[in-house]
Amino acid sequence: MLEAVARAVWAMLPAYVPNNAAVLFGGGRPIDGGRVWNGKRLLGDGKTWRGTAVGTLAGALLSLLLNRVAGRVEGRTGWSLPRFSLRTGVALALGAMLGDIAGSFYKRRTGLDRGQMAVGLDQLDFVAGALGLARLLAPRWFDRTFTRPTIAVVLLLTPLLHVATNVVAYLWGLKDEPY
Ligand code: CTP
Ligand code: MG
Ligand code: K
């Protein structure tokens, strides 16, 4: 049970970190360039080129770092942990950023302004993006790594982890809203 949770979190770490890196280092030019569609911004000021680039890079670098320490963690715990290639690391990180961007696109279409909460969507859009792009770019690795039980753990645990990190980021003054 603990191993299943550890495997799921390990596999998703390259998708979890991009959002937080974007919060820390994002800002600057918005991706939509300020464009408006049907009276609402296409994406909004919360989706920037810099945040997306830094987030993707952070997630991809983390996947390489995880590979370096995986053996040691396995030795201590007896778990068997997933490994990342550059392709799967980038797929998870970029996929997370794209899913988050798609979420903002959807929020703007439904009249939610930048920073307004969308329960469920805010917590899972990046998961859908990360899993979707990884499945597309590395289907065999995806099937091996994200078995049904692992996906179930990810879907249950991610919203909790997401809310917890955002509350911490909010309390530290890094984020404007605790979600
Ligand atoms: N961020 C960024 N680029 C991204 C994603 C996030 O620069 N691709 C930064 C922005 O400063 C953003 C912050 O991280 O405000 C928090 O991200 P998020 O909560 O996803 O954006 P919101 O500002 O809440 O906007 P939205 O309503 O569109 O989700
Ligand atoms: Mg937000
Ligand atoms: K979001």
Side-chain angles (χ1 to χ4, degrees):
M1 179 65 196
L2 190 60
E3 181 181 10
V5 172
R7 285 176 57 86
V9 172
W10 194 275
M12 283 303 285
L13 274 171
Y16 288 157
V17 160
N19 289 283
N20 300 303
V23 170
L24 290 176
F25 303 107
R29 264 173 46 112
I31 295 171
D32 68 8
R35 271 183 284 275
V36 171
W37 188 31
N38 281 339
K40 292 285 176 188
R41 286 284 295 276
L42 216 51
L43 303 173
D45 284 332
K47 307 296 120 154
T48 68
W49 289 110
R50 192 169 76 216
T52 308
V54 173
T56 303
L57 200 68
L61 284 177
L62 179 71
S63 70
L64 301 180
L65 192 82
L66 288 173
N67 282 344
R68 292 179 65 98
V69 298
R72 245 168 294 163
V73 176
E74 286 174 331
R76 289 218 188 131
T77 57
W79 299 335
S80 123
L81 295 168
R83 299 294 192 278
F84 305 96
S85 62
L86 191 59
R87 175 193 287 258
T88 59
V90 169
L92 288 168
L94 181 62
M97 291 275 83
L98 293 179
D100 175 60
I101 288 168
S104 290
F105 178 78
Y106 181 77
K107 282 166 76 174
R108 298 304 89 83
R109 306 286 72 74
T110 56
L112 290 173
D113 289 322
R114 181 244 177 124
Q116 275 190 283
M117 177 168 60
V119 176
L121 189 67
D122 280 335
Q123 290 75 35
L124 288 172
D125 52 9
F126 69 99
V127 174
L131 295 182
L133 194 59
R135 185 159 188 253
L136 193 73
L137 296 184
R140 284 161 56 85
W141 178 85
F142 180 89
D143 287 343
R144 246 185 296 126
T145 312
F146 290 101
T147 57
R148 288 282 175 96
T150 306
I151 292 179
V153 171
V154 167
L155 291 181
L156 282 172
L157 213 59
T158 305
L160 300 176
L161 286 173
H162 189 256
V163 169
T165 47
N166 283 335
V167 167
V168 169
Y170 172 75
L171 292 175
W172 283 349
L174 300 170
K175 214 171 178 296
D176 295 336
E177 312 91 13
Y179 44 81

PDB file of all heavy atoms in Angstrom, residues 67-107:
ATOM      1  N   ASN A  67      15.969  10.071 -11.046  1.00  0.00           N
ATOM      2  CA  ASN A  67      16.675   8.869 -11.527  1.00  0.00           C
ATOM      3  C   ASN A  67      17.953   8.625 -10.743  1.00  0.00           C
ATOM      4  O   ASN A  67      18.321   7.494 -10.466  1.00  0.00           O
ATOM      5  CB  ASN A  67      17.037   9.045 -13.006  1.00  0.00           C
ATOM      6  CG  ASN A  67      15.843   8.816 -13.917  1.00  0.00           C
ATOM      7  OD1 ASN A  67      14.833   8.259 -13.512  1.00  0.00           O
ATOM      8  ND2 ASN A  67      15.977   9.256 -15.160  1.00  0.00           N
ATOM      9  N   ARG A  68      18.640   9.703 -10.401  1.00  0.00           N
ATOM     10  CA  ARG A  68      19.931   9.571  -9.716  1.00  0.00           C
ATOM     11  C   ARG A  68      19.771   9.050  -8.289  1.00  0.00           C
ATOM     12  O   ARG A  68      20.674   8.398  -7.765  1.00  0.00           O
ATOM     13  CB  ARG A  68      20.659  10.920  -9.683  1.00  0.00           C
ATOM     14  CG  ARG A  68      21.095  11.379 -11.045  1.00  0.00           C
ATOM     15  CD  ARG A  68      21.784  12.725 -10.947  1.00  0.00           C
ATOM     16  NE  ARG A  68      23.026  12.635 -10.190  1.00  0.00           N
ATOM     17  CZ  ARG A  68      24.222  12.533 -10.742  1.00  0.00           C
ATOM     18  NH1 ARG A  68      24.336  12.503 -12.049  1.00  0.00           N
ATOM     19  NH2 ARG A  68      25.297  12.466 -10.008  1.00  0.00           N
ATOM     20  N   VAL A  69      18.655   9.365  -7.637  1.00  0.00           N
ATOM     21  CA  VAL A  69      18.483   8.939  -6.241  1.00  0.00           C
ATOM     22  C   VAL A  69      17.581   7.712  -6.098  1.00  0.00           C
ATOM     23  O   VAL A  69      17.478   7.145  -5.004  1.00  0.00           O
ATOM     24  CB  VAL A  69      17.938  10.098  -5.355  1.00  0.00           C
ATOM     25  CG1 VAL A  69      18.915  11.252  -5.334  1.00  0.00           C
ATOM     26  CG2 VAL A  69      16.578  10.542  -5.821  1.00  0.00           C
ATOM     27  N   ALA A  70      16.956   7.283  -7.198  1.00  0.00           N
ATOM     28  CA  ALA A  70      15.981   6.186  -7.116  1.00  0.00           C
ATOM     29  C   ALA A  70      16.616   4.912  -6.545  1.00  0.00           C
ATOM     30  O   ALA A  70      16.025   4.253  -5.683  1.00  0.00           O
ATOM     31  CB  ALA A  70      15.383   5.911  -8.494  1.00  0.00           C
ATOM     32  N   GLY A  71      17.817   4.586  -7.001  1.00  0.00           N
ATOM     33  CA  GLY A  71      18.489   3.367  -6.562  1.00  0.00           C
ATOM     34  C   GLY A  71      18.688   3.345  -5.053  1.00  0.00           C
ATOM     35  O   GLY A  71      18.444   2.328  -4.393  1.00  0.00           O
ATOM     36  N   ARG A  72      19.112   4.472  -4.520  1.00  0.00           N
ATOM     37  CA  ARG A  72      19.356   4.559  -3.075  1.00  0.00           C
ATOM     38  C   ARG A  72      18.059   4.389  -2.293  1.00  0.00           C
ATOM     39  O   ARG A  72      18.010   3.696  -1.274  1.00  0.00           O
ATOM     40  CB  ARG A  72      19.998   5.912  -2.735  1.00  0.00           C
ATOM     41  CG  ARG A  72      21.409   5.773  -2.185  1.00  0.00           C
ATOM     42  CD  ARG A  72      22.097   7.107  -2.142  1.00  0.00           C
ATOM     43  NE  ARG A  72      22.325   7.635  -3.494  1.00  0.00           N
ATOM     44  CZ  ARG A  72      22.610   8.899  -3.766  1.00  0.00           C
ATOM     45  NH1 ARG A  72      22.660   9.779  -2.794  1.00  0.00           N
ATOM     46  NH2 ARG A  72      22.833   9.289  -4.998  1.00  0.00           N
ATOM     47  N   VAL A  73      17.000   5.060  -2.760  1.00  0.00           N
ATOM     48  CA  VAL A  73      15.709   4.952  -2.076  1.00  0.00           C
ATOM     49  C   VAL A  73      15.202   3.507  -2.148  1.00  0.00           C
ATOM     50  O   VAL A  73      14.686   2.964  -1.157  1.00  0.00           O
ATOM     51  CB  VAL A  73      14.682   5.937  -2.688  1.00  0.00           C
ATOM     52  CG1 VAL A  73      13.315   5.756  -2.042  1.00  0.00           C
ATOM     53  CG2 VAL A  73      15.164   7.370  -2.538  1.00  0.00           C
ATOM     54  N   GLU A  74      15.370   2.877  -3.299  1.00  0.00           N
ATOM     55  CA  GLU A  74      14.938   1.477  -3.439  1.00  0.00           C
ATOM     56  C   GLU A  74      15.703   0.578  -2.476  1.00  0.00           C
ATOM     57  O   GLU A  74      15.130  -0.331  -1.867  1.00  0.00           O
ATOM     58  CB  GLU A  74      15.157   1.013  -4.887  1.00  0.00           C
ATOM     59  CG  GLU A  74      14.133   1.591  -5.855  1.00  0.00           C
ATOM     60  CD  GLU A  74      14.437   1.237  -7.301  1.00  0.00           C
ATOM     61  OE1 GLU A  74      15.625   1.045  -7.637  1.00  0.00           O
ATOM     62  OE2 GLU A  74      13.482   1.168  -8.096  1.00  0.00           O
ATOM     63  N   GLY A  75      17.014   0.851  -2.325  1.00  0.00           N
ATOM     64  CA  GLY A  75      17.847   0.050  -1.436  1.00  0.00           C
ATOM     65  C   GLY A  75      17.392   0.141   0.014  1.00  0.00           C
ATOM     66  O   GLY A  75      17.404  -0.846   0.747  1.00  0.00           O
ATOM     67  N   ARG A  76      16.988   1.315   0.417  1.00  0.00           N
ATOM     68  CA  ARG A  76      16.574   1.524   1.809  1.00  0.00           C
ATOM     69  C   ARG A  76      15.190   0.981   2.100  1.00  0.00           C
ATOM     70  O   ARG A  76      14.901   0.556   3.216  1.00  0.00           O
ATOM     71  CB  ARG A  76      16.562   3.025   2.118  1.00  0.00           C
ATOM     72  CG  ARG A  76      17.950   3.580   2.199  1.00  0.00           C
ATOM     73  CD  ARG A  76      18.086   4.606   3.288  1.00  0.00           C
ATOM     74  NE  ARG A  76      19.400   5.220   3.159  1.00  0.00           N
ATOM     75  CZ  ARG A  76      19.611   6.521   3.167  1.00  0.00           C
ATOM     76  NH1 ARG A  76      18.600   7.346   3.340  1.00  0.00           N
ATOM     77  NH2 ARG A  76      20.826   6.998   3.044  1.00  0.00           N
ATOM     78  N   THR A  77      14.300   1.067   1.093  1.00  0.00           N
ATOM     79  CA  THR A  77      12.891   0.781   1.359  1.00  0.00           C
ATOM     80  C   THR A  77      12.440  -0.567   0.812  1.00  0.00           C
ATOM     81  O   THR A  77      11.429  -1.110   1.267  1.00  0.00           O
ATOM     82  CB  THR A  77      12.005   1.858   0.699  1.00  0.00           C
ATOM     83  OG1 THR A  77      12.304   1.890  -0.701  1.00  0.00           O
ATOM     84  CG2 THR A  77      12.273   3.225   1.297  1.00  0.00           C
ATOM     85  N   GLY A  78      13.162  -1.093  -0.172  1.00  0.00           N
ATOM     86  CA  GLY A  78      12.716  -2.318  -0.818  1.00  0.00           C
ATOM     87  C   GLY A  78      11.654  -2.075  -1.888  1.00  0.00           C
ATOM     88  O   GLY A  78      11.170  -3.013  -2.514  1.00  0.00           O
ATOM     89  N   TRP A  79      11.279  -0.795  -2.109  1.00  0.00           N
ATOM     90  CA  TRP A  79      10.298  -0.478  -3.157  1.00  0.00           C
ATOM     91  C   TRP A  79      10.964  -0.609  -4.518  1.00  0.00           C
ATOM     92  O   TRP A  79      12.191  -0.551  -4.622  1.00  0.00           O
ATOM     93  CB  TRP A  79       9.802   0.971  -3.015  1.00  0.00           C
ATOM     94  CG  TRP A  79       9.116   1.278  -1.740  1.00  0.00           C
ATOM     95  CD1 TRP A  79       8.470   0.402  -0.915  1.00  0.00           C
ATOM     96  CD2 TRP A  79       9.021   2.577  -1.122  1.00  0.00           C
ATOM     97  NE1 TRP A  79       7.958   1.076   0.170  1.00  0.00           N
ATOM     98  CE2 TRP A  79       8.274   2.408   0.073  1.00  0.00           C
ATOM     99  CE3 TRP A  79       9.464   3.850  -1.459  1.00  0.00           C
ATOM    100  CZ2 TRP A  79       7.980   3.473   0.920  1.00  0.00           C
ATOM    101  CZ3 TRP A  79       9.175   4.913  -0.625  1.00  0.00           C
ATOM    102  CH2 TRP A  79       8.439   4.721   0.553  1.00  0.00           C
ATOM    103  N   SER A  80      10.125  -0.715  -5.545  1.00  0.00           N
ATOM    104  CA  SER A  80      10.640  -0.562  -6.902  1.00  0.00           C
ATOM    105  C   SER A  80       9.998   0.683  -7.494  1.00  0.00           C
ATOM    106  O   SER A  80       8.776   0.834  -7.491  1.00  0.00           O
ATOM    107  CB  SER A  80      10.356  -1.840  -7.691  1.00  0.00           C
ATOM    108  OG  SER A  80       9.627  -1.573  -8.828  1.00  0.00           O
ATOM    109  N   LEU A  81      10.839   1.612  -7.913  1.00  0.00           N
ATOM    110  CA  LEU A  81      10.359   2.932  -8.341  1.00  0.00           C
ATOM    111  C   LEU A  81      10.527   3.114  -9.850  1.00  0.00           C
ATOM    112  O   LEU A  81      11.430   2.514 -10.447  1.00  0.00           O
ATOM    113  CB  LEU A  81      11.140   4.032  -7.610  1.00  0.00           C
ATOM    114  CG  LEU A  81      10.927   4.080  -6.093  1.00  0.00           C
ATOM    115  CD1 LEU A  81      11.958   4.986  -5.420  1.00  0.00           C
ATOM    116  CD2 LEU A  81       9.513   4.551  -5.767  1.00  0.00           C
ATOM    117  N   PRO A  82       9.683   3.931 -10.461  1.00  0.00           N
ATOM    118  CA  PRO A  82       9.802   4.162 -11.905  1.00  0.00           C
ATOM    119  C   PRO A  82      11.041   4.989 -12.254  1.00  0.00           C
ATOM    120  O   PRO A  82      11.560   5.724 -11.413  1.00  0.00           O
ATOM    121  CB  PRO A  82       8.516   4.912 -12.252  1.00  0.00           C
ATOM    122  CG  PRO A  82       8.051   5.518 -10.988  1.00  0.00           C
ATOM    123  CD  PRO A  82       8.539   4.656  -9.875  1.00  0.00           C
ATOM    124  N   ARG A  83      11.519   4.830 -13.476  1.00  0.00           N
ATOM    125  CA  ARG A  83      12.605   5.671 -14.004  1.00  0.00           C
ATOM    126  C   ARG A  83      12.049   6.529 -15.132  1.00  0.00           C
ATOM    127  O   ARG A  83      11.069   6.158 -15.776  1.00  0.00           O
ATOM    128  CB  ARG A  83      13.749   4.816 -14.542  1.00  0.00           C
ATOM    129  CG  ARG A  83      14.416   3.911 -13.510  1.00  0.00           C
ATOM    130  CD  ARG A  83      15.125   4.728 -12.452  1.00  0.00           C
ATOM    131  NE  ARG A  83      16.002   3.889 -11.623  1.00  0.00           N
ATOM    132  CZ  ARG A  83      15.608   3.164 -10.595  1.00  0.00           C
ATOM    133  NH1 ARG A  83      14.337   3.159 -10.238  1.00  0.00           N
ATOM    134  NH2 ARG A  83      16.471   2.439  -9.902  1.00  0.00           N
ATOM    135  N   PHE A  84      12.700   7.665 -15.358  1.00  0.00           N
ATOM    136  CA  PHE A  84      12.261   8.577 -16.407  1.00  0.00           C
ATOM    137  C   PHE A  84      13.312   8.656 -17.509  1.00  0.00           C
ATOM    138  O   PHE A  84      14.514   8.627 -17.228  1.00  0.00           O
ATOM    139  CB  PHE A  84      12.041   9.977 -15.836  1.00  0.00           C
ATOM    140  CG  PHE A  84      11.090  10.009 -14.672  1.00  0.00           C
ATOM    141  CD1 PHE A  84      11.571   9.987 -13.368  1.00  0.00           C
ATOM    142  CD2 PHE A  84       9.719  10.026 -14.874  1.00  0.00           C
ATOM    143  CE1 PHE A  84      10.705   9.995 -12.280  1.00  0.00           C
ATOM    144  CE2 PHE A  84       8.845  10.028 -13.795  1.00  0.00           C
ATOM    145  CZ  PHE A  84       9.334  10.017 -12.495  1.00  0.00           C
ATOM    146  N   SER A  85      12.856   8.779 -18.741  1.00  0.00           N
ATOM    147  CA  SER A  85      13.747   9.174 -19.821  1.00  0.00           C
ATOM    148  C   SER A  85      13.548  10.674 -20.008  1.00  0.00           C
ATOM    149  O   SER A  85      12.634  11.260 -19.423  1.00  0.00           O
ATOM    150  CB  SER A  85      13.385   8.422 -21.101  1.00  0.00           C
ATOM    151  OG  SER A  85      12.064   8.769 -21.486  1.00  0.00           O
ATOM    152  N   LEU A  86      14.387  11.291 -20.841  1.00  0.00           N
ATOM    153  CA  LEU A  86      14.183  12.715 -21.105  1.00  0.00           C
ATOM    154  C   LEU A  86      12.785  12.921 -21.697  1.00  0.00           C
ATOM    155  O   LEU A  86      12.068  13.854 -21.349  1.00  0.00           O
ATOM    156  CB  LEU A  86      15.263  13.233 -22.065  1.00  0.00           C
ATOM    157  CG  LEU A  86      15.309  14.754 -22.195  1.00  0.00           C
ATOM    158  CD1 LEU A  86      15.575  15.417 -20.854  1.00  0.00           C
ATOM    159  CD2 LEU A  86      16.355  15.176 -23.218  1.00  0.00           C
ATOM    160  N   ARG A  87      12.400  11.977 -22.579  1.00  0.00           N
ATOM    161  CA  ARG A  87      11.092  12.080 -23.224  1.00  0.00           C
ATOM    162  C   ARG A  87       9.956  12.028 -22.204  1.00  0.00           C
ATOM    163  O   ARG A  87       9.030  12.855 -22.233  1.00  0.00           O
ATOM    164  CB  ARG A  87      10.938  10.935 -24.229  1.00  0.00           C
ATOM    165  CG  ARG A  87       9.565  10.875 -24.877  1.00  0.00           C
ATOM    166  CD  ARG A  87       9.389   9.557 -25.607  1.00  0.00           C
ATOM    167  NE  ARG A  87      10.180   9.523 -26.818  1.00  0.00           N
ATOM    168  CZ  ARG A  87       9.654   9.706 -28.043  1.00  0.00           C
ATOM    169  NH1 ARG A  87       8.361   9.913 -28.182  1.00  0.00           N
ATOM    170  NH2 ARG A  87      10.413   9.661 -29.106  1.00  0.00           N
ATOM    171  N   THR A  88      10.014  11.073 -21.264  1.00  0.00           N
ATOM    172  CA  THR A  88       8.898  10.940 -20.324  1.00  0.00           C
ATOM    173  C   THR A  88       8.919  12.076 -19.289  1.00  0.00           C
ATOM    174  O   THR A  88       7.863  12.550 -18.872  1.00  0.00           O
ATOM    175  CB  THR A  88       8.910   9.574 -19.619  1.00  0.00           C
ATOM    176  OG1 THR A  88      10.149   9.415 -18.913  1.00  0.00           O
ATOM    177  CG2 THR A  88       8.744   8.448 -20.609  1.00  0.00           C
ATOM    178  N   GLY A  89      10.120  12.534 -18.919  1.00  0.00           N
ATOM    179  CA  GLY A  89      10.206  13.663 -17.995  1.00  0.00           C
ATOM    180  C   GLY A  89       9.614  14.929 -18.602  1.00  0.00           C
ATOM    181  O   GLY A  89       8.817  15.633 -17.971  1.00  0.00           O
ATOM    182  N   VAL A  90       9.986  15.191 -19.849  1.00  0.00           N
ATOM    183  CA  VAL A  90       9.466  16.386 -20.536  1.00  0.00           C
ATOM    184  C   VAL A  90       7.966  16.238 -20.781  1.00  0.00           C
ATOM    185  O   VAL A  90       7.205  17.196 -20.618  1.00  0.00           O
ATOM    186  CB  VAL A  90      10.220  16.630 -21.870  1.00  0.00           C
ATOM    187  CG1 VAL A  90       9.520  17.684 -22.709  1.00  0.00           C
ATOM    188  CG2 VAL A  90      11.669  17.042 -21.595  1.00  0.00           C
ATOM    189  N   ALA A  91       7.535  15.032 -21.142  1.00  0.00           N
ATOM    190  CA  ALA A  91       6.102  14.816 -21.410  1.00  0.00           C
ATOM    191  C   ALA A  91       5.273  15.125 -20.165  1.00  0.00           C
ATOM    192  O   ALA A  91       4.243  15.809 -20.250  1.00  0.00           O
ATOM    193  CB  ALA A  91       5.864  13.390 -21.875  1.00  0.00           C
ATOM    194  N   LEU A  92       5.713  14.645 -19.008  1.00  0.00           N
ATOM    195  CA  LEU A  92       4.965  14.892 -17.770  1.00  0.00           C
ATOM    196  C   LEU A  92       4.961  16.379 -17.421  1.00  0.00           C
ATOM    197  O   LEU A  92       3.925  16.943 -17.052  1.00  0.00           O
ATOM    198  CB  LEU A  92       5.576  14.086 -16.617  1.00  0.00           C
ATOM    199  CG  LEU A  92       5.333  12.573 -16.652  1.00  0.00           C
ATOM    200  CD1 LEU A  92       6.222  11.881 -15.625  1.00  0.00           C
ATOM    201  CD2 LEU A  92       3.863  12.260 -16.381  1.00  0.00           C
ATOM    202  N   ALA A  93       6.123  17.026 -17.538  1.00  0.00           N
ATOM    203  CA  ALA A  93       6.237  18.435 -17.144  1.00  0.00           C
ATOM    204  C   ALA A  93       5.490  19.347 -18.110  1.00  0.00           C
ATOM    205  O   ALA A  93       4.684  20.189 -17.695  1.00  0.00           O
ATOM    206  CB  ALA A  93       7.713  18.829 -17.062  1.00  0.00           C
ATOM    207  N   LEU A  94       5.749  19.172 -19.398  1.00  0.00           N
ATOM    208  CA  LEU A  94       5.070  20.013 -20.396  1.00  0.00           C
ATOM    209  C   LEU A  94       3.576  19.716 -20.401  1.00  0.00           C
ATOM    210  O   LEU A  94       2.744  20.635 -20.500  1.00  0.00           O
ATOM    211  CB  LEU A  94       5.681  19.762 -21.779  1.00  0.00           C
ATOM    212  CG  LEU A  94       5.086  20.585 -22.924  1.00  0.00           C
ATOM    213  CD1 LEU A  94       5.292  22.077 -22.698  1.00  0.00           C
ATOM    214  CD2 LEU A  94       5.691  20.168 -24.273  1.00  0.00           C
ATOM    215  N   GLY A  95       3.232  18.436 -20.257  1.00  0.00           N
ATOM    216  CA  GLY A  95       1.824  18.061 -20.224  1.00  0.00           C
ATOM    217  C   GLY A  95       1.090  18.727 -19.060  1.00  0.00           C
ATOM    218  O   GLY A  95      -0.045  19.171 -19.207  1.00  0.00           O
ATOM    219  N   ALA A  96       1.753  18.794 -17.907  1.00  0.00           N
ATOM    220  CA  ALA A  96       1.145  19.460 -16.749  1.00  0.00           C
ATOM    221  C   ALA A  96       0.887  20.931 -17.049  1.00  0.00           C
ATOM    222  O   ALA A  96      -0.191  21.462 -16.741  1.00  0.00           O
ATOM    223  CB  ALA A  96       2.062  19.315 -15.533  1.00  0.00           C
ATOM    224  N   MET A  97       1.851  21.591 -17.671  1.00  0.00           N
ATOM    225  CA  MET A  97       1.682  23.011 -17.988  1.00  0.00           C
ATOM    226  C   MET A  97       0.571  23.217 -19.023  1.00  0.00           C
ATOM    227  O   MET A  97      -0.235  24.141 -18.913  1.00  0.00           O
ATOM    228  CB  MET A  97       3.008  23.583 -18.520  1.00  0.00           C
ATOM    229  CG  MET A  97       4.118  23.697 -17.497  1.00  0.00           C
ATOM    230  SD  MET A  97       4.047  25.224 -16.518  1.00  0.00           S
ATOM    231  CE  MET A  97       2.866  24.813 -15.265  1.00  0.00           C
ATOM    232  N   LEU A  98       0.523  22.329 -20.034  1.00  0.00           N
ATOM    233  CA  LEU A  98      -0.502  22.455 -21.075  1.00  0.00           C
ATOM    234  C   LEU A  98      -1.885  22.179 -20.505  1.00  0.00           C
ATOM    235  O   LEU A  98      -2.864  22.851 -20.866  1.00  0.00           O
ATOM    236  CB  LEU A  98      -0.197  21.504 -22.237  1.00  0.00           C
ATOM    237  CG  LEU A  98       1.061  21.820 -23.051  1.00  0.00           C
ATOM    238  CD1 LEU A  98       1.272  20.780 -24.154  1.00  0.00           C
ATOM    239  CD2 LEU A  98       0.990  23.225 -23.647  1.00  0.00           C
ATOM    240  N   GLY A  99      -1.990  21.206 -19.602  1.00  0.00           N
ATOM    241  CA  GLY A  99      -3.273  20.914 -18.977  1.00  0.00           C
ATOM    242  C   GLY A  99      -3.772  22.097 -18.156  1.00  0.00           C
ATOM    243  O   GLY A  99      -4.952  22.433 -18.178  1.00  0.00           O
ATOM    244  N   ASP A 100      -2.830  22.737 -17.450  1.00  0.00           N
ATOM    245  CA  ASP A 100      -3.159  23.906 -16.646  1.00  0.00           C
ATOM    246  C   ASP A 100      -3.621  25.068 -17.546  1.00  0.00           C
ATOM    247  O   ASP A 100      -4.566  25.782 -17.218  1.00  0.00           O
ATOM    248  CB  ASP A 100      -1.909  24.293 -15.835  1.00  0.00           C
ATOM    249  CG  ASP A 100      -2.079  25.566 -15.048  1.00  0.00           C
ATOM    250  OD1 ASP A 100      -2.976  25.621 -14.198  1.00  0.00           O
ATOM    251  OD2 ASP A 100      -1.318  26.517 -15.303  1.00  0.00           O
ATOM    252  N   ILE A 101      -2.952  25.206 -18.694  1.00  0.00           N
ATOM    253  CA  ILE A 101      -3.331  26.257 -19.651  1.00  0.00           C
ATOM    254  C   ILE A 101      -4.717  25.973 -20.225  1.00  0.00           C
ATOM    255  O   ILE A 101      -5.560  26.881 -20.331  1.00  0.00           O
ATOM    256  CB  ILE A 101      -2.262  26.356 -20.769  1.00  0.00           C
ATOM    257  CG1 ILE A 101      -0.974  26.980 -20.209  1.00  0.00           C
ATOM    258  CG2 ILE A 101      -2.785  27.146 -21.967  1.00  0.00           C
ATOM    259  CD1 ILE A 101       0.229  26.860 -21.123  1.00  0.00           C
ATOM    260  N   ALA A 102      -4.961  24.701 -20.569  1.00  0.00           N
ATOM    261  CA  ALA A 102      -6.282  24.321 -21.080  1.00  0.00           C
ATOM    262  C   ALA A 102      -7.354  24.608 -20.022  1.00  0.00           C
ATOM    263  O   ALA A 102      -8.457  25.058 -20.348  1.00  0.00           O
ATOM    264  CB  ALA A 102      -6.290  22.842 -21.469  1.00  0.00           C
ATOM    265  N   GLY A 103      -7.016  24.373 -18.757  1.00  0.00           N
ATOM    266  CA  GLY A 103      -7.943  24.657 -17.674  1.00  0.00           C
ATOM    267  C   GLY A 103      -8.302  26.136 -17.618  1.00  0.00           C
ATOM    268  O   GLY A 103      -9.467  26.499 -17.439  1.00  0.00           O
ATOM    269  N   SER A 104      -7.295  26.992 -17.796  1.00  0.00           N
ATOM    270  CA  SER A 104      -7.546  28.435 -17.787  1.00  0.00           C
ATOM    271  C   SER A 104      -8.391  28.850 -18.980  1.00  0.00           C
ATOM    272  O   SER A 104      -9.282  29.704 -18.865  1.00  0.00           O
ATOM    273  CB  SER A 104      -6.218  29.203 -17.802  1.00  0.00           C
ATOM    274  OG  SER A 104      -5.559  29.034 -16.563  1.00  0.00           O
ATOM    275  N   PHE A 105      -8.114  28.248 -20.144  1.00  0.00           N
ATOM    276  CA  PHE A 105      -8.921  28.526 -21.328  1.00  0.00           C
ATOM    277  C   PHE A 105     -10.392  28.224 -21.034  1.00  0.00           C
ATOM    278  O   PHE A 105     -11.280  29.035 -21.304  1.00  0.00           O
ATOM    279  CB  PHE A 105      -8.414  27.673 -22.503  1.00  0.00           C
ATOM    280  CG  PHE A 105      -9.197  27.852 -23.761  1.00  0.00           C
ATOM    281  CD1 PHE A 105      -8.998  28.969 -24.569  1.00  0.00           C
ATOM    282  CD2 PHE A 105     -10.145  26.919 -24.150  1.00  0.00           C
ATOM    283  CE1 PHE A 105      -9.730  29.145 -25.734  1.00  0.00           C
ATOM    284  CE2 PHE A 105     -10.890  27.091 -25.305  1.00  0.00           C
ATOM    285  CZ  PHE A 105     -10.681  28.202 -26.107  1.00  0.00           C
ATOM    286  N   TYR A 106     -10.627  27.075 -20.426  1.00  0.00           N
ATOM    287  CA  TYR A 106     -11.994  26.663 -20.097  1.00  0.00           C
ATOM    288  C   TYR A 106     -12.611  27.609 -19.052  1.00  0.00           C
ATOM    289  O   TYR A 106     -13.779  28.005 -19.150  1.00  0.00           O
ATOM    290  CB  TYR A 106     -11.989  25.221 -19.591  1.00  0.00           C
ATOM    291  CG  TYR A 106     -13.355  24.710 -19.242  1.00  0.00           C
ATOM    292  CD1 TYR A 106     -14.251  24.323 -20.234  1.00  0.00           C
ATOM    293  CD2 TYR A 106     -13.781  24.640 -17.916  1.00  0.00           C
ATOM    294  CE1 TYR A 106     -15.517  23.865 -19.923  1.00  0.00           C
ATOM    295  CE2 TYR A 106     -15.045  24.184 -17.585  1.00  0.00           C
ATOM    296  CZ  TYR A 106     -15.906  23.798 -18.597  1.00  0.00           C
ATOM    297  OH  TYR A 106     -17.156  23.358 -18.280  1.00  0.00           O
ATOM    298  N   LYS A 107     -11.802  27.993 -18.030  1.00  0.00           N
ATOM    299  CA  LYS A 107     -12.323  28.893 -16.998  1.00  0.00           C
ATOM    300  C   LYS A 107     -12.758  30.229 -17.611  1.00  0.00           C
ATOM    301  O   LYS A 107     -13.814  30.769 -17.266  1.00  0.00           O
ATOM    302  CB  LYS A 107     -11.257  29.122 -15.909  1.00  0.00           C
ATOM    303  CG  LYS A 107     -11.135  27.966 -14.921  1.00  0.00           C
ATOM    304  CD  LYS A 107      -9.870  28.047 -14.076  1.00  0.00           C
ATOM    305  CE  LYS A 107      -9.963  29.090 -12.971  1.00  0.00           C
ATOM    306  NZ  LYS A 107      -8.768  29.035 -12.076  1.00  0.00           N
TER     307      LYS A 107
END
